[in-house]
Amino acid sequence: MTLEIKDLHVSYGGIRALKGISLKVEDGQIVTLIGANGAGKSTTLRALSGLEKVQSGQILYDGADITGIASKEIVRRGLVMVPEGRLIFPDMTVLENLRIGAYLRRDREIAKDIDNVYDLFPRLKERSWQMAGTLSGGEQQMLAVGRALMTHPKILLLDEPSLGLAPLIVRDIFGIIRSLNAQGVTVVLVEQNAKQSLKIADYAYVLEVGSVSIDGPAEELLRDERVIDAYLGKG
Ligand code: ATP
């Protein structure tokens, strides 16, 4: 599945959050969007998910125009977001949260998919009956990704999956993103953690106040002076 955004404009009242963003995601890639706070990264993912009204521009999913389509239909087609802050249901168990991820489906494969998620995240299996609100931050992030997997995503949109997590857990999360990608899931990854995300991505876009300022293969951006100075630090 491919994704293409052409000249996308999104505003919140008078604030122009996206001022003509264009980008491409090829089938099987990990594409990362990096940039400072407020650059428009989350807005881009929300627009792709049908959660923000698009003023102008186009979103093409596998060549079909999905601009303005209802978010539920976008999920049904396989374009699925894991939002920043995870938004799991705290007063439900881990298992109940995973079942909710399958709410759009009517097939009988749900139990098998739950097993697959538990294989990927053994820690969730141990905590199947635990209230999701009492999970650690890293476990909640795993649950949010697991719940998205229950919808059988073709393209996964991940908004800051490493936010607030300890370095070891961040490494786990990035490892999981890699293995999902190796299993055939295309990934769009929004991250503040630019170095880590450039290391696992194929291609990258740098957003600056609502526009793309730099784009290129991720390994080239890792060596780009402008990117190093602004986003990677000297370390
Ligand atoms: P961060 O890394 O801080 O989440 P971001 O790159 O994801 O930043 P966005 O959240 O997309 O940035 O925000 C882009 C711009 O749109 C910002 O100026 C922000 O204040 C504004 N904005 C985002 N959501 C809203 C909203 N619901 N109402 C008004 N303005 C908003």
Side-chain angles (χ1 to χ4, degrees):
M1 287 286 169
T2 59
L3 196 57
E4 187 172 3
I5 297 182
K6 290 184 181 170
D7 199 22
L8 201 67
H9 288 75
V10 173
S11 296
Y12 299 106
I15 299 167
R16 294 170 65 214
L18 303 187
K19 306 175 202 168
I21 298 248
S22 297
L23 56 87
K24 262 187 180 176
V25 180
E26 304 288 353
D27 192 38
Q29 280 188 325
I30 299 179
V31 171
T32 188
L33 312 184
I34 60 176
N37 289 122
K41 305 179 299 294
S42 301
T43 302
T44 304
L45 292 196
R46 290 178 55 79
L48 285 170
S49 309
L51 297 170
E52 296 298 347
K53 192 172 172 297
V54 170
Q55 259 81 49
S56 63
Q58 249 190 340
I59 302 169
L60 301 174
Y61 177 58
D62 215 26
D65 190 346
I66 59 161
T67 326
I69 284 184
S71 54
K72 188 172 163 181
E73 173 60 18
I74 292 176
V75 170
R76 207 189 57 73
R77 293 190 192 193
L79 187 57
V80 182
M81 178 165 69
V82 179
E84 184 180 331
R86 299 141 199 164
L87 305 182
I88 53 162
F89 297 100
D91 298 329
M92 292 184 172
T93 66
V94 166
L95 183 59
E96 285 165 342
N97 268 274
L98 291 176
R99 288 217 173 101
I100 280 176
Y103 81 105
L104 285 174
R105 292 171 42 197
R106 290 191 172 71
D107 56 87
R108 294 167 192 278
E109 302 280 293
I110 292 172
K112 198 172 126 226
D113 286 343
I114 288 176
D115 283 344
N116 286 342
V117 171
Y118 283 162
D119 284 346
L120 199 59
F121 303 105
R123 232 197 266 209
L124 292 183
K125 186 173 186 180
E126 292 162 15
R127 289 167 168 73
S128 191
W129 303 103
Q130 189 172 327
M131 289 298 156
T134 65
L135 296 172
S136 73
E139 290 160 357
Q140 290 190 18
Q141 185 62 59
M142 291 172 194
L143 180 57
V145 174
R147 188 178 57 187
L149 294 179
M150 294 297 294
T151 63
H152 286 189
K154 298 194 171 77
I155 302 185
L156 205 50
L157 309 172
L158 298 172
D159 196 357
E160 305 257 12
S162 77
L163 193 72
L165 302 181
L168 273 180
I169 311 291
V170 171
R171 211 184 55 188
D172 285 353
I173 294 284
F174 277 88
I176 284 157
I177 295 168
R178 268 184 130 135
S179 53
L180 287 175
N181 180 247
Q183 288 169 26
V185 181
T186 301
V187 176
V188 181
L189 175 61
V190 160
E191 262 298 336
Q192 291 273 345
N193 197 332
K195 194 177 261 174
Q196 295 259 25
S197 56
L198 287 173
K199 278 186 184 159
I200 67 163
D202 298 292
Y203 202 87
Y205 292 86
V206 179
L207 265 58
E208 257 176 57
V209 283
S211 304
V212 174
S213 58
I214 306 171
D215 70 287
E219 55 183 318
E220 283 179 21
L221 264 59
L222 268 172
R223 296 192 303 264
D224 187 308
E225 289 296 333
R226 298 166 298 172
V227 176
I228 293 171
D229 286 347
Y231 304 104
L232 302 181
K234 301 290 175 196

